[in-house]
Amino acid sequence: MTVTLEAAEGVGTLRLDRPPMNALDVATQDRLRELAEEATRREDIRAVVIYGGEKVFAAGADIKEMQVMDHAAMVARARALQDSFTAVARIPKPVVAAVTGYALGGGCELALCADFRIAGENAKLGQPEILLGLIPGAGGTQRLSRLVGPSRAKDLIFTGRQVRADEALTLGLVDRVVPAGEVYEQAHAWAARLAKGPAIALRAAKEAVDTGLETDIETGLAVERTWFAGLFATEDRETGMRSFVEEGPGKAKFL
């Protein structure tokens, strides 16, 4: 399998496994969507790590596969390509990308689908599609600009240049830089911490933030207020408030 899903301690690890560079061919894209949807459904998975292994996250699309595709073939495929990545972005649970080595093109776009990105000191990220006479097609023009702002996104997309981990941190493209050997460990720890949190509230927070980024503020506020009020009907809210009153903040244990 080119992508696997394993669960432990409430954390599901979506592992890319297509040596040597984890090129994202059609089969890998489809498998990624399938497992992202499985992670969404599974109650034993409360947070997700996306990981490509110790040496490389994902070096992008399978260029040899794409080279033989004509316009009609890509028109038929482009939506499925985007849907595979959107399935990851819409996992209603905290998702962290553990980025080692190259995260280029589709690899960078996959990292953009996470809520948080931890990169190794050896990481290199970028959207080099322009060097092929193309533009990002798996969400890069949209998610990158929302994350780092339009000017910075255009710089990366127009030039196709790669950025090292330290610059990626400065740009806001990644959220933490750690020694390469600690990337997965720290990503799993981040996910495991949130896996112990209130699942419905975390889902609400993610949906409210993501919806707000995609629409006007009035619609975003409506989503926020609906979720905020709705959470008063949950057991987690009762647990959290009771614990706060009886024990003080930050001590609640959620099921």
Side-chain angles (χ1 to χ4, degrees):
M1 292 293 183
T2 56
V3 189
T4 58
L5 175 62
E6 297 181 355
E9 302 176 20
V11 177
T13 298
L14 273 172
R15 169 69 186 268
L16 302 173
D17 190 14
R18 188 170 183 249
M21 301 300 287
N22 289 335
L24 300 167
D25 64 348
V26 167
T28 303
Q29 296 163 23
D30 291 344
R31 181 66 175 160
L32 183 65
R33 184 190 68 248
E34 178 184 323
L35 292 181
E37 292 171 350
E38 180 181 334
T40 293
R41 294 190 303 268
R42 285 177 56 172
E43 294 184 0
D44 63 320
I45 293 176
R46 296 168 66 99
V48 174
V49 176
I50 311 171
Y51 183 51
E54 296 178 357
K55 295 182 179 180
V56 62
F57 184 71
D62 189 321
I63 303 303
K64 291 183 179 179
E65 182 182 65
M66 290 178 61
Q67 186 181 16
V68 300
M69 300 177 73
D70 59 13
H71 173 256
M74 187 49 74
V75 167
R77 181 63 202 172
R79 182 58 183 265
L81 166 64
Q82 290 185 343
D83 286 349
S84 297
F85 286 68
T86 297
V88 176
R90 290 184 177 171
I91 294 173
K93 304 166 185 181
V95 177
V96 56
V99 181
T100 56
Y102 291 111
L104 303 175
C108 185
E109 289 171 300
L110 180 57
L112 291 172
C113 293
D115 302 304
F116 196 77
R117 282 154 290 278
I118 298 177
E121 293 172 338
N122 65 340
K124 292 184 179 180
L125 299 92
Q127 299 288 167
E129 291 87 350
I130 202 75
L131 305 178
L132 301 173
L134 295 171
I135 66 171
T141 64
Q142 303 304 303
R143 294 190 179 98
L144 184 59
S145 57
R146 285 167 168 77
L147 183 66
V148 305
S151 296
R152 289 175 170 178
K154 287 174 182 176
D155 170 46
L156 295 175
I157 293 169
F158 289 1
T159 65
R161 68 187 183 90
Q162 300 175 21
V163 297
R164 296 181 181 274
D166 54 351
E167 184 179 0
L169 182 64
T170 299
L171 292 172
L173 181 53
V174 301
D175 302 289
R176 187 184 303 168
V177 176
V178 302
E182 298 179 13
V183 171
Y184 180 75
E185 178 185 355
Q186 293 209 27
H188 193 278
W190 183 91
R193 175 188 174 189
L194 293 178
K196 297 177 182 178
I200 299 176
L202 285 165
R203 176 175 186 159
K206 181 168 181 173
E207 182 171 322
V209 171
D210 289 351
T211 300
L213 289 171
E214 297 168 1
T215 187
D216 61 275
I217 191 169
E218 289 302 324
T219 301
L221 286 169
V223 171
E224 178 184 273
R225 117 176 127 252
T226 299
W227 268 114
F228 177 72
L231 289 168
F232 276 75
T234 67
E235 183 177 340
D236 283 343
R237 193 277 306 182
E238 294 179 8
T239 298
M241 288 193 167
R242 181 173 60 251
S243 176
F244 181 92
V245 171
E246 296 176 357
E247 305 174 282
K251 297 180 180 179
K253 291 181 172 59
F254 300 100
L255 298 178

